[in-house]
Amino acid sequence: MTSHNEIQPFIRCDQFNFIKFQVKHLVHAHSTVKDPAVLNAIKYGALDKIMNLFPEMSEDHQVFHKITEIEQDIQGKSFLDALKSYVIPFKPITEKTVGKLFPKAGKLKLQFLKNVDFKELSYLGWYDIRSDKKFLIFDYKGKLMGIHGTFRHKTKGICSLCNHHGEVGLFMANVKSGKETFTNRGNYICDDSHECNQNLQRLDKLEYFIENLKN
């Protein structure tokens, strides 16, 4: 069997968020449920849900099994800290990368990139005050793709990327719809892209959003 030291990163950010949710649910169950049989069902149910994310992984793999021992926040944090070493980081983004993705955008303020944890990204998003636009970078089928657009009508609602309720705004991009024609397309997405990334537990809605906006 492969030792833990030889395991390459294999967990996507959205999958890691799903695991975090299972840990949170498990800790909450231990503080509210007294029936050992029910607790057993919850903890092994959590393990099954996680293992189902990785169908190619053999059942004897020990990376996730410690979740069944978690009862308190401190144990959950320790488990997640250890697991984070297996998270696949988002492709490196530098000022040069951004310049290539948005050649007509001019000089963008990108100091925030120094503080970005790329293991916590399913996509990169930020609002640029000077140009009054929101910029999004996706890893689409193994290749970086950049889209920018207006961001208006802030309200409370459901984000079309992470499917969580919170502060959202209408992102609209001018995309090519024919040989020489363009159309505005978009949807409501989280105002805070960092929070959105934290809430993303699957990629289907994100991929649908990209498909709708790509040329």
Side-chain angles (χ1 to χ4, degrees):
M1 191 173 71
T2 309
S3 73
H4 286 195
N5 292 333
E6 295 169 359
I7 301 172
Q8 295 299 309
F10 67 97
I11 304 171
R12 295 193 314 263
C13 176
D14 62 295
Q15 293 171 325
F16 186 68
N17 290 340
F18 180 85
I19 296 166
K20 276 199 291 188
F21 176 80
Q22 295 302 318
V23 169
K24 185 178 178 181
H25 178 60
L26 195 50
V27 170
H28 178 72
H30 273 282
S31 68
T32 56
V33 178
K34 302 302 175 192
D35 187 332
V38 174
L39 282 172
N40 247 10
I42 292 170
K43 66 186 180 183
Y44 284 102
L47 178 59
D48 282 345
K49 286 174 187 173
I50 293 168
M51 293 300 291
N52 286 340
L53 295 177
F54 309 95
E56 72 287 348
M57 186 175 282
S58 63
E59 281 296 323
D60 62 349
H61 215 300
Q62 299 300 306
V63 171
F64 299 122
H65 285 236
K66 281 192 176 293
I67 196 170
T68 59
E69 301 169 13
I70 295 172
E71 295 182 9
Q72 299 176 336
D73 272 327
I74 192 165
Q75 293 167 303
K77 186 179 184 308
S78 177
F79 171 76
L80 291 169
D81 285 348
L83 209 59
K84 197 168 182 181
S85 62
Y86 303 123
V87 174
I88 305 163
F90 195 77
K91 280 188 168 67
I93 305 288
T94 63
E95 290 195 15
K96 190 176 179 182
T97 314
V98 174
K100 284 182 178 178
L101 291 170
F102 303 104
K104 296 178 182 176
K107 188 71 175 169
L108 296 168
K109 291 193 173 184
L110 302 169
Q111 291 91 335
F112 70 90
L113 282 176
K114 297 172 188 171
N115 302 316
V116 171
D117 183 346
F118 287 92
K119 287 193 173 188
E120 294 184 358
L121 293 184
S122 291
Y123 74 95
L124 179 66
W126 75 96
Y127 183 76
D128 182 66
I129 295 172
R130 191 177 62 83
S131 62
D132 193 25
K133 288 182 189 277
K134 194 170 180 85
F135 290 79
L136 304 172
I137 297 177
F138 305 105
D139 183 352
Y140 181 67
K141 296 185 177 178
K143 187 178 178 182
L144 288 177
M145 169 187 174
I147 299 171
H148 63 79
T150 57
F151 192 66
R152 301 280 187 272
H153 312 300
K154 291 185 186 180
T155 183
K156 291 275 189 183
I158 300 290
C159 171
S160 61
L161 304 183
C162 69
N163 205 38
H164 276 245
H165 187 272
E167 294 284 343
V168 297
L170 181 60
F171 176 86
M172 293 295 286
N174 195 236
V175 298
K176 203 168 186 178
S177 59
K179 199 171 183 181
E180 293 180 2
T181 57
F182 288 80
T183 185
N184 283 324
R185 289 187 201 156
N187 211 330
Y188 281 91
I189 64 173
C190 283
D191 181 29
D192 186 334
S193 295
H194 174 72
E195 190 177 319
C196 185
N197 271 285
Q198 296 285 311
N199 289 330
L200 246 161
Q201 293 182 36
R202 49 194 289 178
L203 295 181
D204 54 343
K205 290 185 180 295
L206 178 68
E207 287 168 353
Y208 179 81
F209 182 84
I210 298 169
E211 289 285 346
N212 189 42
L213 290 180
K214 73 182 183 70
N215 294 342

